[in-house]
Amino acid sequence: RGLTYKNSGVDIAAGNTLVQRIKPLAAATSRSGCNAELGGFAGLFDLKAAGYEDPILVSGTDGVGTKLKIAQVCKKHDTIGQDLVAMCVNDILAQGAEPLFFLDYFACGKLDVEVAQGVIAGIAEACKKAGCALLGGETAEMPGMYPPGEYDLAGFAVGAVERGQMLPQLERIADGDVVIGVASSGVHSNGYSLVRKIVEKSSFDFSSPVGVSGDQTLGDLLLTPTKIYSKTLLPVLHSGHVKAFAHITGGGLLENIPRVLPESFGVILDALTWKIPEIFCWLHKEGNLSEEEMTRTFNCGVGAVLVVQKELAQQVLKDIQRHEVAWLIGKVVSLQKGSARVKVHNLLRALQANRSLSVHSHIQGKIQTNKVKVAVLISGTGTNLEALINSTKKPTSFAQIVLVVSNKAGVEGLRKAERAGIPTRVIDHKLYESRTEFDSAVDKVLEEFSVELICLAGFMRILSGPFVKKWEGKILNIHPSLLPSFKGANAHKLVLQAGVRVTGCTVHFVAEEVDAGAIIFQEAVPVKIGDTVETLSERVKEAEHRAFPAALQLVASGAVQVGEAGKIYW
């Protein structure tokens, strides 16, 4: 049969459906100068109709970094659009420019119309807040470029400023000028790779409740959208009283303020003069971050900075405070050669003063000290191994991985174990004459490390009867289907051939018969229309990375055990 674009993975009809759904959202952002109608080859903007006489065009582009990962894990897609718009329009504000129009780029491996519509609705809503039109965009469906459920965003803003109102006005900046800080709403959209690493290494996850009432999760808090400053601050920036404006974006306080100062000037800030949101205090403590790391990575509660003459500072502050929380946070100083351009005093004191955020762990238990010793047997890349390592690293884990054994040398899984500081052994099955001999070599190493539980994570050997008998109730395996259906090596193929609508993964105890041991934990995964072995396998893998660690904790904690005749009791 002839191939089609659709069975290559690109659904033009879905793309058209999306465009029809977002047309009214874009039209609602129309403003003087354009009518924001989607569907043409290009968008038009009339500067004259927008009231400009001698304008300079100003453009900016940005993304939202790995904050996207958190949105995707939390399945919360309605606010990330504001982050995208804010990152672009706040940047062009630094030139004194009013944002006029915005374009977005949404890329994915497989287009989910509902998710894309949610994201773009957020972008349109943010454009209204910023006072710019959503003039167009691009939705790119690229099979194989992104894993299922993942997407990427980029934004492009164009603004204008009358020639005489451009910022920064470097020649006017002088020693003794005052620095005004405008409050951020939280972490904004920078430093999220560090944020995610801190959460991963902590005993919490994005669904952990925060605060006294616990009605907000850590994920919700970290997804607080970036503030858009254009409408509230433009009148102040055009008043003639402001010499410079800096958006505190990637590079934090240390690297963004110098971008709007002459070479010979720096600033001294006092962290006790503004309120640092609790999330920064939590990140600082949980990640054991240095002061420099905090100020070079994060905004620390200050989303934007204005430089004004000392005599006008109180008046400008009052004007800003009509719409935004703001403070006098420091002053401009002449620099001695070789000294730091931004100094932040009292940061540690300020961070400790605001350290009241309580994040609650799901496993309401003490830090586990006497952990069950676990060995993981692998043959390849060890993607499930990685999930097991991450979960057992948490202080609340009932298990600890003490050994990783592979029957093949040089595989990626061994490198993952070594990077995590876990001892490894290679026992090559080709060097043994029988399965029983190979198994007893493995058994010897397990005893050497006092192993109590075994996890099979992509281990491609069938274990012998005596070995399974000896370790009965102590070996866990994961299978990529909902057992007892679809046993054996080609589970995904069998699932697709059978035409079932639901599959999943099963963590079970190992019995002598293949894929027949008592079931500990299962997670269901929908089979989607048009799924291939590859796409289905990807989705089931994601479930495996949740199910295997969960099952290991159940067994290691003693919540699940095997009783008589291989039956489970809880």
Side-chain angles (χ1 to χ4, degrees):
R1 221 198 298 183
L3 283 176
T4 64
Y5 206 9
K6 187 171 180 177
N7 61 28
S8 307
V10 179
D11 189 342
I12 294 174
N16 291 340
T17 302
L18 178 64
V19 172
Q20 290 312 312
R21 289 202 198 171
I22 62 180
K23 267 185 179 177
L25 305 176
T29 67
S30 295
R31 51 153 293 156
S32 56
C34 76
N35 61 8
E37 279 181 15
L38 302 184
F41 284 99
L44 307 176
F45 194 93
D46 184 345
L47 281 167
K48 227 178 218 146
Y52 284 90
E53 286 165 17
D54 185 19
I56 302 285
L57 288 178
V58 181
S59 68
T61 182
D62 213 334
V64 289
T66 56
K67 189 171 188 175
L68 276 174
K69 282 279 203 192
I70 300 177
Q72 287 156 11
V73 166
C74 298
K75 295 189 168 25
K76 184 171 167 54
H77 310 287
D78 57 338
T79 55
I80 204 83
Q82 177 166 329
D83 291 296
L84 185 68
V85 174
M87 294 304 286
C88 298
V89 299
N90 291 346
D91 274 357
I92 66 174
L93 263 189
Q95 312 297 148
E98 173 197 11
L100 300 176
F101 59 86
F102 188 83
L103 303 167
D104 73 276
Y105 173 78
F106 179 100
C108 57
K110 179 154 183 58
L111 181 61
D112 181 325
V113 174
E114 297 299 326
V115 169
Q117 184 183 344
V119 172
I120 295 163
I123 292 172
E125 200 50 46
C127 284
K128 284 193 228 169
K129 284 184 190 168
C132 62
L134 179 55
L135 202 52
E138 157 75 350
T139 306
E141 188 175 25
M142 300 184 281
M145 284 290 282
Y146 298 92
E150 288 194 13
Y151 57 85
D152 199 5
L153 290 176
F156 313 88
V158 174
V161 56
E162 294 289 3
R163 202 175 294 271
Q165 294 182 323
M166 283 174 68
L167 292 176
Q169 296 169 359
L170 297 179
E171 68 291 340
R172 287 179 60 202
I173 292 173
D175 198 338
D177 280 347
V178 170
V179 178
I180 295 175
V182 185
S184 68
S185 57
V187 187
H188 280 189
S189 300
N190 299 106
Y192 275 84
S193 296
L194 176 56
V195 169
R196 286 169 51 243
K197 183 57 80 176
I198 291 170
V199 175
E200 180 191 307
K201 289 194 172 300
S202 78
S203 54
F204 309 105
D205 58 32
F206 297 120
S207 61
S208 298
V210 296
V212 183
S213 60
D215 54 0
Q216 191 184 31
T217 65
L218 184 56
D220 294 334
L221 189 58
L222 289 166
L223 287 172
T224 304
T226 308
K227 275 205 153 186
I228 293 174
Y229 296 114
S230 43
K231 270 191 180 170
T232 54
L233 295 187
L234 263 174
V236 177
L237 298 184
H238 289 168
S239 66
H241 300 330
V242 177
K243 301 179 182 186
F245 170 95
H247 176 207
I248 309 304
T249 175
L253 292 164
L254 296 193
E255 294 192 1
N256 287 294
I257 299 173
R259 295 165 76 178
V260 297
L261 297 175
E263 284 291 323
S264 54
F265 289 101
V267 296
I268 294 175
L269 309 179
D270 180 356
L272 290 171
T273 56
W274 76 84
K275 180 158 173 33
I276 299 180
E278 292 169 344
I279 186 67
F280 292 111
C281 310
W282 184 82
L283 289 167
H284 170 253
K285 179 175 172 238
E286 202 65 38
N288 192 21
L289 305 180
S290 67
E291 288 184 61
E292 184 178 8
E293 200 59 45
M294 286 297 296
T295 48
R296 193 179 294 287
T297 309
F298 299 123
N299 65 58
C300 297
V302 178
V305 154
L306 290 79
V307 176
V308 297
Q309 190 181 320
K310 189 179 180 182
E311 291 70 23
L312 297 168
Q314 283 299 341
Q315 180 55 51
V316 173
L317 181 65
K318 251 196 208 114
D319 292 342
I320 295 170
Q321 285 173 336
R322 287 198 189 109
H323 307 286
E324 298 283 356
V325 175
W327 316 268
L328 303 180
I329 63 168
K331 60 182 181 179
V332 174
V333 292
S334 294
L335 275 190
Q336 304 300 314
K337 202 159 183 62
S339 64
R341 299 199 64 195
V342 178
K343 288 181 183 159
V344 184
H345 293 164
N346 299 317
L347 182 68
L348 264 181
R349 276 178 65 194
L351 285 164
Q352 281 157 357
N354 288 328
R355 192 175 280 171
S356 59
L357 180 70
S358 49
V359 182
H360 313 287
S361 173
H362 279 312
I363 306 168
Q364 293 301 330
K366 304 271 185 297
I367 288 174
Q368 299 301 323
T369 43
N370 52 341
K371 299 178 183 243
V372 173
K373 294 185 174 68
V374 177
V376 183
L377 273 51
I378 63 167
S379 297
T381 55
T383 54
N384 274 318
L385 168 65
E386 197 169 354
L388 291 170
I389 290 173
N390 289 340
S391 86
T392 52
K393 280 271 186 255
K394 302 200 170 190
T396 46
S397 169
F398 290 95
Q400 175 190 4
I401 300 174
V402 295
L403 173 68
V404 171
V405 178
S406 173
N407 64 318
K408 290 180 182 172
V411 293
E412 179 58 31
L414 290 170
R415 287 193 283 277
K416 283 177 181 161
E418 281 153 15
R419 284 199 292 272
I422 298 167
T424 61
R425 291 283 188 276
V426 176
I427 304 174
D428 188 345
H429 60 278
K430 295 195 195 90
L431 304 178
Y432 297 87
E433 281 183 20
S434 69
R435 252 194 355 214
T436 317
E437 268 182 46
F438 169 72
D439 288 355
S440 65
V442 172
D443 191 42
K444 216 171 174 171
V445 177
L446 298 177
E447 288 193 345
E448 183 193 329
F449 282 85
S450 311
V451 167
E452 299 164 89
L453 268 182
I454 302 167
C455 288
L456 307 181
F459 184 62
M460 304 310 283
R461 309 290 305 155
I462 292 174
L463 296 166
S464 63
F467 185 90
V468 172
K469 260 206 183 68
K470 178 182 173 181
W471 288 91
E472 191 178 2
K474 304 289 181 194
I475 313 174
L476 279 61
N477 182 42
I478 190 154
H479 181 75
S481 78
L482 294 175
L483 291 174
S485 300
F486 310 113
K487 296 180 178 181
N490 299 310
H492 299 309
K493 192 176 172 189
L494 296 171
V495 162
L496 293 171
Q497 281 170 355
V500 295
R501 302 267 40 91
V502 177
T503 183
C505 62
T506 303
V507 186
H508 62 95
F509 286 111
V510 172
E512 277 191 68
E513 190 191 329
V514 175
D515 297 333
I519 291 168
I520 304 160
F521 195 97
Q522 291 183 306
E523 184 172 326
V525 173
V527 181
K528 297 194 175 175
I529 308 296
D531 256 339
T532 61
V533 168
E534 288 72 29
T535 59
L536 184 58
S537 152
E538 275 307 314
R539 243 184 0 270
V540 172
K541 261 199 200 103
E542 284 178 32
E544 288 181 19
H545 297 168
R546 293 185 292 271
F548 213 163
L552 174 58
Q553 293 302 331
L554 286 172
V555 176
S557 67
V560 170
Q561 291 172 10
V562 174
E564 294 300 309
K567 284 272 182 284
I568 268 192
Y569 66 92
W570 292 76

